[in-house]
Each structure stands twice: as C-alpha cells, then as structure tokens.
Amino acid sequence: MGDGTSDEPMIVTMVSVPDGGTTTISLPEARRRLTTDPFLLLGVELPEEEGPAEGLAEVPVVRRLGLDDEDLEWFGRPDASARAEFLGDTAAFAVPVVHQGRVAHVHALASERFLVITHWGRRAGLARAVTAQVRRERPHDTVATLFLLLQEALTTFRRAAVDALLQVEELEDDMFQRRRPEQVHRLSQLRRHSAVLHHALLPYLQGVDEVITRRMMSSDFPAERQRLAQEFQRAARLVLADIESLQEATRRAFASYGSLVAGEQNGVINRLTIVSVIFLPLSFLTGFFGMNFEFLTNRLETRDEFWLLAVGLQLVAVVGSLFLLHRSRIWRRLRDEE
C-alpha cells in the first residue's frame, strides 16, 4: 500500500500463542503476516488523544492493516457504539469494557486465521488480561481466543457491578447508624453508575446473542464453538443479573433512606403534638378568663377565687393532659425511640 498509512501513529503488538509472549512489530510486517500466518493474534494500540476528526477518520484501521472492507470502516473509530456483525467468514465486535469506573470500547475483528484487537491507549485495560488468559488457556484457534476476549470484557462488568453493590450495602448500613446528606449524593452516583452499566451492556449482548444464535443454527458450526458460545451466553445472563441486582439494591437503599427521613419527621410531629395537647387547654383557659362578661367582672372579686380558677384550672388541665399522653401510644412511641 502506497497511501502513506504506515506513518500514522499506531502500535501493533503480536501475541505469541500459546506462550502469550508479546512482540512489537511494524505496520508493514503486520500486513504481511495477516496474509500469510495461519494463526495470528494482533493488538493494535491507538493514541488515546486521537479523535474521530483526525487520521483515523480519513484512513480506517482495516485499510491500514490491508483488510479493505467498506462494511468495516467503523472498526477502530473512537465514536463507534457497541455492536456485533458477522460478515461472511469475518466477525467484528465493538466490545464495551469497564476500566477505572468508566465504560470504554475495544474493537475485535476475527476470522479463521487472525484476531485483531484494537484499543486506545491503556484505558481499555484488557491487553494484559487477554495476554494472561492466552497464556493460561492456550486457545487452539482465533475463535477460542475471541471468546476469551468476550469473557474478559464481561468480567470487567461483573467486577464493577459487585464492587458497586458492596458500596450500596455499606451505605445502607451506615444510614441506619447515622443518616448524613452526603449518603444521598453517593447513592445517586451509584444509581447512575448502574444505569450506565446496564445501558452499555444490554444492546451489546442483544447484538452478540443474535449473531451467535444465527451461527449456531448453521449445520456446519463446530460443536466446540457451540460450547464456547453457550458458555458466553450463560455468563452474559449472569452478569446482566448482577447489574439488575445492583439497580434493585440502589432503589432499596433510596427507599430505606426515605423511610428513615419519614420516621424522623414523624418523631418531630409527635413532639409537636405533645406540646399542642399541653398548651391547647391553657390557651383556652387564658382566652376564656380574658373575656369581660358579667360573671367574671361581678362575681370573681377575691384573690383566692382568682388563684383557684385562673391557676388551679390550668394546673388541672396540664396534669390531665400529661396523664392522657402517658396512657397514649404517642408517649410510648417516643419513649421507645429514646
């Protein structure tokens, strides 16, 4: 190819199978090996700061690798969404992964002879994990290696969901010990995180499941690959269930926080009720004896009568109110809370 694509900033790493060793090779060497090697695993690292409006948008990664295909021009673009496509003897995936709490995408292009994994900088966090998996599992072909990549991507979602679920449970325990406003903010962040995980994973799993199911219905689909596909589908359902459990846990934590707030408000209302019960009779007596009608002005002439009616009745009212409160549920509830 004489289009000058070899000058594009791009690091190509060849992974040796089955020992998992890595070697950095040039772009022309990668193009040559893609046409000659029977089993090739390449890792393509693109600069993280390179945006869709720069060299990648003008020259697609597949063209720079010598794999001209108009249907795969999205491959290697940072703005490509999660997807799974089967094009003849080639399968292409935009795989979402969770790295440092954020969702990124790794692109994978697989055929019977090669597997190309493209990511940006170190943000995907799968290069070492996939290499370690190759070293341990020793896959016998590129399809088995592809499923190792897909399984490792699911593992990042499972770890993120489990870690967030543990944080929600810790927050819920802390709320019952002492309720603080910052707990609501943290719960909101975790609820948003669960929504991001679900939104990123669900469309991808639907696309992959459609591709896998269509291939499994073919009579020439090998039994070993059917087993790998079924294991992936089973793991995908479990990871999706973990994320849904996280969403349910955040909703439950918010409900618990609301219950605690409602309980505190009920306590305040009960205390105000006690104050009202005590002072309502006093307010009535004060207002009654403040009226200027004939009985009060002509009959209550001595100081003893004033103290008996003005103070005695109020004392009786206060003692009676406290006695009734002591016998009521409100008083027992406040005593139990204390």
Side-chain angles (χ1 to χ4, degrees):
M1 296 176 61
D3 54 3
T5 56
S6 59
D7 295 331
E8 293 290 341
M10 179 173 166
I11 300 176
V12 182
T13 303
M14 182 180 66
V15 181
S16 176
V17 181
D19 60 359
T22 60
T23 305
T24 301
I25 62 176
S26 64
L27 188 57
E29 177 68 11
R31 288 199 295 266
R32 186 186 67 80
R33 286 181 172 273
L34 283 170
T35 60
T36 59
D37 287 16
F39 185 8
L40 183 64
L41 175 57
L42 292 181
V44 178
E45 180 179 323
L46 301 173
E48 195 164 7
E49 67 274 7
E50 187 172 15
E54 300 181 15
L56 283 178
E58 298 175 1
V59 184
V61 173
V62 289
R63 189 187 305 174
R64 288 193 279 175
L65 292 173
L67 304 172
D68 294 342
D69 193 330
E70 295 182 356
D71 294 328
L72 290 175
E73 290 192 355
W74 59 266
F75 185 83
R77 291 180 180 269
D79 56 347
S81 58
R83 63 203 299 172
E85 294 182 358
F86 180 75
L87 305 171
D89 59 349
T90 304
F93 299 86
V95 185
V97 297
V98 181
H99 179 56
Q100 296 179 350
R102 300 180 60 184
V103 176
H105 286 87
V106 173
H107 292 184
L109 183 64
S111 70
E112 295 291 339
R113 295 186 301 102
F114 61 81
L115 173 62
V116 180
I117 303 173
T118 302
H119 60 95
W120 292 263
R122 299 293 181 182
R123 68 179 182 178
L126 282 184
R128 294 183 179 179
V130 173
T131 302
Q133 287 283 3
V134 170
R135 188 181 300 112
R136 288 194 299 266
E137 301 291 336
R138 299 180 181 273
H140 54 83
D141 59 12
T142 56
V143 176
T145 309
L146 171 64
F147 276 104
L148 287 180
L149 170 67
L150 300 182
Q151 291 279 9
E152 187 62 29
L154 287 179
T155 301
T156 63
F157 276 88
R158 178 184 293 113
R159 291 170 182 167
V162 172
D163 181 66
L165 181 61
L166 293 176
Q167 294 184 45
V168 171
E169 292 178 350
E170 291 177 0
L171 278 173
E172 195 170 10
D173 292 338
D174 292 340
M175 285 189 303
F176 286 103
Q177 298 295 328
R178 181 184 178 187
R179 186 179 62 83
R180 297 185 298 273
E182 57 268 21
Q183 294 168 343
V184 177
H185 177 67
R186 184 55 185 157
L187 279 176
S188 301
Q189 291 179 328
L190 291 172
R191 187 169 185 174
R192 173 60 181 167
H193 184 58
S194 67
V196 169
L197 294 179
H198 191 268
H199 182 74
L201 187 62
L202 184 58
Y204 161 73
L205 291 183
Q206 289 176 342
V208 174
D209 188 69
E210 181 180 348
V211 171
I212 290 178
T213 302
R214 187 166 64 247
R215 289 297 295 154
M216 289 176 64
M217 293 177 63
S218 176
S219 58
D220 60 347
F221 197 64
E224 177 64 19
R225 294 183 182 179
Q226 289 187 8
R227 183 186 66 80
L228 293 174
Q230 290 172 352
E231 288 181 357
F232 171 79
Q233 290 176 320
R234 181 167 56 253
R237 288 192 292 269
L238 293 176
V239 173
L240 197 59
D242 290 338
I243 295 177
E244 291 173 350
S245 298
L246 172 60
Q247 291 180 309
E248 180 62 30
T250 56
R251 286 192 288 266
R252 184 184 64 246
F254 269 108
S256 299
Y257 190 90
S259 298
L260 291 174
V261 172
E264 293 179 0
Q265 291 178 345
N266 288 336
V268 173
I269 293 174
N270 289 336
R271 289 176 174 84
L272 291 176
T273 302
I274 292 176
V275 173
S276 300
V277 169
I278 293 175
F279 283 93
L280 185 61
L282 300 180
S283 300
F284 171 76
L285 292 175
T286 301
F288 178 80
F289 284 101
M291 297 180 184
N292 295 322
F293 53 89
E294 183 179 357
F295 176 79
L296 293 177
T297 57
N298 297 333
R299 298 297 181 89
L300 301 181
E301 298 178 350
T302 65
R303 181 180 300 177
D304 294 337
E305 292 176 341
F306 169 78
W307 285 107
L308 178 63
L309 295 177
V311 178
L313 287 178
Q314 296 194 34
L315 290 176
V316 171
V318 171
V319 172
S321 299
L322 292 175
F323 177 76
L324 293 176
L325 285 174
H326 184 72
R327 303 281 296 181
S328 67
R329 296 180 180 178
I330 297 177
W331 187 277
R332 290 197 297 269
R333 188 182 307 163
L334 290 175
R335 185 179 57 187
D336 293 339
E337 290 178 358
E338 294 297 334

